[in-house]
Amino acid sequence: MWDSDTESVGGRDYGNGVLSTTKPGVKTDGFEQRGQSWHVATDIPSDLLVQIGDVSFHLHKYPLLSRSGKMNRAVYELRDTELNKIALDDLPGGPEAFELAAKFCYGIAVDLTATNISGLRCAAEYLEMTEDLEEGNLIFKTEAFLSYVVLSSWRDSILVLKSCEKLSPWAENLQIVRRCSESIAWKACANPKGIRWQYTGKPPRSVSSPKWNEMKESSPSRNSPVPPDWWFEDVSILRIDHFVRVITAIKVKGMRYELIGAAIMHYAGKWLPGLVKEGSGSVSGGAVDEGSNSSNGSSSSWKGGLHMIVVGSKEDLPAVQAKDQRMIIESLISIIPPQKDSVSCSFLLRLLRMANMLKVAPALVTELEKRVGMQFEQATLADLLIPSYNKHETLYDVDLVQRLLEHFLVQEQSESSSPRRQSFSDTKMYDAAQRGTNSNAKMRVARLVDSYLTEVSRDRNLSLTKFQVLAEALPESARTCDDGLYRAVDSYLKAHPTLTEHERKRLCRVMDCQKLSIDACMHAAQNERLPLRVVVQVLFSEQVKISNALATGLLKETGDQSHYQPLTSNRKTLLEGTPQSFQEGWAAAKKDINSLKFELETMKAKYLELQNDMETLQRQLDKVTKPKQTSSAWSTGWKKLTKLGKATENNDIGQQVQNGDLSRKTPRRWRNSIS
């Protein structure tokens, strides 16, 4: 009844994915399923029961013992018992893989596909179906199919790697994960123009793997461009640990860091639902070359045939729990390329928000904060408003923004002080360009910080110290105009009306009144919340600005335009950067300010008139007052002031009198002598 089940090499056929033997061990028409049990369709009664979970297989000993070392030992251990039952609950691949392995042992043709090859390969290793028992055993045939069929196909490599998620650690130990990851990395880094079968270019006609000729015919023409992000969607279906393996292999192959960063953002947008804003298609944008189907495009745009084959619908993805999200975030942080612009700052800030919410490891959070500090000038206010997850603190995490700003300043200082091996002329040109870049970056960060302070200042739990430290973190050169800082100060004063006079003065020290625009000065001049001393400083600064504006107008009238044009453009820029609400408030305050100026000028004119009248009365009083009267202090002072002039006159008169006396005395002496 039992036939010889030896098989020659020539009888093997695995090139088309079908495993069969020319001499089956037991004549059978196949397997029959009855509920949770499988039976062999043969007249020979079964003598072995294999239990795998809830599924039982009623089989025969000889076909299994002839090809499986594991079954040999198990049956040997059961030779003295009457049950003949074997439990294989830890078999990788489960009942599906064992069913295929059992069919192979009975000589039934088995169709190998990308979805079942990994489980069957691990089951063959578990059952020890080696070449020592029979030439062309299941391990050899599954290895051949993996090497010659799966690893040469992009789609099959993705599907096999996806199926390995339930086969740990067998798939790792058998190097299936490593080989599939390297195959995917090699195909992703290769030039898709030279490999036509790598990208289908249109939706498939069937769900099964397309044949070589079909893929070659359906591939895009040589003239049609293949987007550089064609592989993003396919790789994003992988589990995070396998995705990390693929990205690590792609880095080794030398792919551009912009594409790697875009792939990471695409993966994060798919597996971290809280990372993507509602209404936006994806978190990745601007990281791929022009002309590519970037992942932030329209949802209706099709990304390629392979995406339709492999991915399926979004409903197929399992619900990602908090623990899984934490693991995904930690893994993504560890594989982000170290280059500055590999991912967007907005993506980093949203990732940082989720990292704080899910309590990610502090070391990884610090690393992520440093990455944000490297490109902090690219941040937006919406992404910077990260909530504080400590209930006893402020509404927004102000300490986090303070740390980000410190990392930014450290990065700017290290870039400006880093040594460079260049010639003297090149070094001067580079230094000038670097100073300009750093200055522009600091100015953008200053505007961002001012907007952030305006927003968080409405929080009543925000302390004055935190506000002041954040406002004074940037150097003075970062702000050419303090209008934004004034808005933040005014907003803080509105939200905290119980501040003392000392605290209000301390708050107003963060801004420079001389850097306020004319409109800001007009608004501050009638702001009752500001301390009186600050209002006086603002009025003085406004007077200086008005004088400069009048001088500029004179220059314009005389034809000198070199000094006038920059002031006009600067004022226009400041007005454009001023919110509409402040512009309306300042416009309403102009009339009051102008009326106050008119009253001030009128008072000055009256003061000059009174001063002239006082001088006239003083002169009349001097004429009436006797010269010898010394009782009043005014007459004493007046005598002292005129003493020098009188002394000069007395000297002249004395000389004249002395000369006259001499002329008189001489004749007298002459007359006396004669007489």
Side-chain angles (χ1 to χ4, degrees):
M1 185 66 65
W2 298 97
D3 296 335
S4 175
D5 54 350
T6 59
E7 178 184 6
S8 62
V9 178
R12 299 193 301 267
D13 182 16
Y14 53 81
N16 56 0
V18 178
L19 294 184
S20 62
T21 57
T22 56
K23 297 180 180 180
V26 177
K27 293 182 180 180
T28 177
D29 295 333
F31 279 31
E32 297 177 354
Q33 185 176 11
R34 303 170 188 173
Q36 293 293 327
S37 301
W38 286 89
H39 298 268
V40 182
T42 181
D43 296 335
I44 304 174
S46 63
D47 57 356
L48 180 63
L49 177 63
V50 179
Q51 187 75 28
I52 303 176
D54 297 335
V55 182
S56 59
F57 293 86
H58 299 271
L59 307 174
H60 304 85
K61 293 181 181 179
Y62 181 73
L64 298 179
L65 269 60
S66 63
R67 287 187 170 91
S68 172
K70 175 80 172 178
M71 298 301 295
N72 262 313
R73 291 195 305 274
V75 172
Y76 178 78
E77 294 174 356
L78 295 174
R79 70 179 186 273
D80 296 332
T81 63
E82 297 179 357
L83 296 177
N84 290 333
K85 180 180 178 181
I86 301 175
L88 301 176
D89 293 332
D90 57 344
L91 184 138
E96 296 81 6
F98 184 79
E99 176 194 349
L100 297 177
K103 287 181 178 180
F104 175 79
C105 293
Y106 278 89
I108 302 174
V110 177
D111 187 14
L112 296 182
T113 63
T115 56
N116 63 21
I117 185 61
S118 58
L120 188 57
R121 172 66 183 90
C122 295
E125 189 72 22
Y126 177 87
L127 296 173
E128 301 176 11
M129 304 177 71
T130 62
E131 295 294 296
D132 297 337
L133 298 176
E134 181 183 357
E135 185 181 0
N137 210 344
L138 189 57
I139 290 180
F140 174 80
K141 291 193 174 184
T142 52
E143 273 294 328
F145 186 82
L146 276 172
S147 301
Y148 295 104
V149 178
V150 171
L151 297 182
S152 61
S153 169
W154 166 266
R155 175 187 175 277
D156 291 344
S157 299
I158 293 285
L159 291 179
V160 169
L161 189 56
K162 180 67 177 176
S163 65
C164 290
E165 296 176 358
K166 301 178 181 180
L167 299 173
S168 299
W170 288 90
E172 287 282 353
N173 297 335
L174 295 175
Q175 305 297 322
I176 299 177
V177 174
R178 180 188 62 80
R179 287 183 290 173
C180 289
S181 300
E182 292 181 353
S183 174
I184 294 170
W186 181 82
K187 293 176 175 61
C189 295
N191 186 2
K193 296 181 180 179
I195 306 176
R196 298 169 65 92
W197 49 266
Q198 195 173 1
Y199 183 79
T200 60
K202 67 178 182 180
R205 284 172 286 183
S206 62
V207 180
S208 61
S209 298
K211 302 298 183 181
W212 175 273
N213 293 333
E214 292 178 359
M215 297 185 73
K216 190 172 182 180
E217 291 175 0
S218 63
S219 60
S221 62
R222 294 183 180 274
N223 296 328
S224 60
V226 177
D229 63 341
W230 63 268
W231 52 276
F232 287 4
E233 189 68 24
D234 295 339
V235 174
S236 65
I237 70 169
L238 301 175
R239 199 173 62 185
I240 183 60
D241 54 340
H242 294 162
F243 177 77
V244 171
R245 295 286 293 271
V246 171
I247 294 298
T248 303
I250 287 176
K251 285 183 179 180
V252 175
K253 302 295 181 183
M255 178 173 284
R256 292 183 291 121
Y257 64 87
E258 298 95 342
L259 283 176
I260 296 177
I264 293 173
M265 290 191 289
H266 186 88
Y267 185 90
K270 190 167 188 175
W271 289 90
L272 300 174
L275 197 67
V276 185
K277 300 176 182 177
E278 294 183 0
S280 60
S282 173
V283 295
S284 61
V288 289
D289 293 340
E290 295 181 359
S292 64
N293 295 336
S294 59
S295 55
N296 64 338
S298 174
S299 59
S300 62
S301 60
W302 178 66
K303 302 294 180 60
L306 288 180
H307 306 156
M308 302 294 291
I309 298 173
V310 177
V311 177
S313 62
K314 292 183 178 180
E315 287 74 12
D316 297 336
L317 295 176
V320 183
Q321 302 300 326
K323 182 178 179 181
D324 298 330
Q325 288 186 348
R326 186 185 305 111
M327 182 178 63
I328 290 174
I329 291 175
E330 292 177 351
S331 301
L332 293 180
I333 294 174
S334 62
I335 63 173
I336 294 177
Q339 287 79 5
K340 181 177 180 180
D341 294 325
S342 57
V343 293
S344 65
C345 186
S346 179
F347 168 76
L348 292 174
L349 283 170
R350 291 199 292 270
L351 197 64
L352 183 60
R353 180 199 300 260
M354 291 197 68
N356 289 334
M357 181 178 62
L358 297 174
K359 307 299 181 183
V360 174
L364 293 175
V365 173
T366 302
E367 180 65 24
L368 190 58
E369 290 176 358
K370 291 180 180 179
R371 292 300 308 270
V372 175
M374 291 174 59
Q375 46 198 98
F376 193 52
E377 70 276 6
Q378 303 172 7
T380 60
L381 178 60
D383 295 325
L384 207 59
L385 295 174
I386 300 176
S388 178
Y389 297 101
N390 189 349
K391 297 181 180 180
H392 302 288
E393 300 227 350
T394 57
L395 179 62
Y396 297 106
D397 198 343
V398 181
D399 294 334
L400 173 61
V401 178
Q402 177 68 28
R403 292 195 301 270
L404 297 178
L405 188 57
E406 291 175 357
H407 290 311
F408 168 76
L409 294 175
V410 171
Q411 180 68 23
E412 290 290 320
Q413 185 177 3
S414 62
E415 289 181 358
S416 60
S417 61
S418 59
R420 294 172 295 273
R421 296 181 179 179
Q422 295 176 343
S423 62
F424 180 74
S425 59
D426 294 341
T427 302
K428 291 182 64 178
M429 295 177 61
Y430 180 84
D431 290 342
Q434 188 70 21
R435 285 194 299 269
T437 304
N438 294 343
S439 177
N440 294 333
K442 289 181 180 179
M443 292 175 64
R444 288 194 295 269
V445 171
R447 290 193 293 268
L448 177 64
V449 171
D450 293 345
S451 301
Y452 180 79
L453 287 172
T454 304
E455 188 68 28
V456 301
S457 61
R458 302 185 181 97
D459 185 6
R460 294 183 178 274
N461 294 328
L462 179 63
S463 64
L464 177 59
T465 302
K466 287 187 177 182
F467 184 94
Q468 187 177 9
V469 169
L470 186 57
E472 295 177 347
L474 287 169
E476 296 182 359
S477 59
R479 293 184 178 92
T480 57
C481 178
D482 278 6
D483 285 8
L485 202 55
Y486 168 69
R487 286 191 291 270
V489 169
D490 186 53
S491 179
Y492 190 88
L493 290 174
K494 287 181 181 178
H496 301 78
T498 59
L499 292 178
T500 63
E501 183 71 15
H502 174 72
E503 289 174 339
R504 289 190 294 145
K505 290 180 180 180
R506 176 184 165 192
L507 175 64
C508 293
R509 290 195 192 103
V510 301
M511 65 178 180
D512 186 359
C513 297
Q514 296 182 358
K515 290 185 178 181
L516 296 178
S517 64
I518 297 179
D519 295 331
C521 290
M522 292 179 179
H523 183 274
Q526 64 172 4
N527 194 342
E528 298 178 355
R529 290 177 293 272
L530 296 178
L532 181 60
R533 182 177 181 181
V534 177
V535 174
V536 173
Q537 293 177 354
V538 168
L539 289 174
F540 177 77
S541 176
E542 181 189 9
Q543 187 68 27
V544 173
K545 287 181 175 60
I546 293 175
S547 301
N548 293 336
L550 294 175
T552 306
L554 293 176
L555 291 175
K556 180 182 177 182
E557 292 177 359
T558 55
D560 189 357
Q561 303 290 337
S562 59
H563 300 285
Y564 175 76
Q565 189 63 28
L567 181 62
T568 304
S569 60
N570 188 24
R571 174 180 170 82
K572 183 179 179 182
T573 304
L574 293 175
L575 289 177
E576 289 177 354
T578 305
Q580 185 66 25
S581 61
F582 269 80
Q583 291 185 15
E584 293 176 357
W586 291 338
K590 282 184 178 180
K591 295 181 180 180
D592 297 335
I593 297 298
N594 292 332
S595 62
L596 290 175
K597 290 179 183 178
F598 178 76
E599 293 178 1
L600 182 61
E601 295 295 333
T602 304
M603 293 297 296
K604 288 182 180 180
K606 291 181 179 180
Y607 172 75
L608 293 176
E609 293 178 0
L610 291 175
Q611 188 176 9
N612 293 331
D613 295 340
M614 185 188 68
E615 292 178 355
T616 304
L617 292 175
Q618 185 64 42
R619 285 194 298 269
Q620 294 177 359
L621 182 62
D622 292 340
K623 293 180 180 179
V624 174
T625 304
K626 295 181 180 180
K628 292 183 180 181
Q629 186 178 357
T630 58
S631 60
S632 64
W634 174 259
S635 59
T636 304
W638 182 258
K639 290 180 179 180
K640 291 181 179 180
L641 291 175
T642 57
K643 186 177 181 179
L644 181 61
K646 291 183 177 181
T648 305
E649 294 179 358
N650 292 333
N651 291 334
D652 295 339
I653 296 172
Q655 289 179 359
Q656 294 177 1
V657 172
Q658 185 177 2
N659 294 333
D661 295 338
L662 291 174
S663 60
R664 294 190 189 98
K665 288 180 180 180
T666 303
R668 287 178 182 175
R669 290 176 182 175
W670 179 74
R671 286 195 298 267
N672 292 334
S673 62
I674 292 177
S675 59

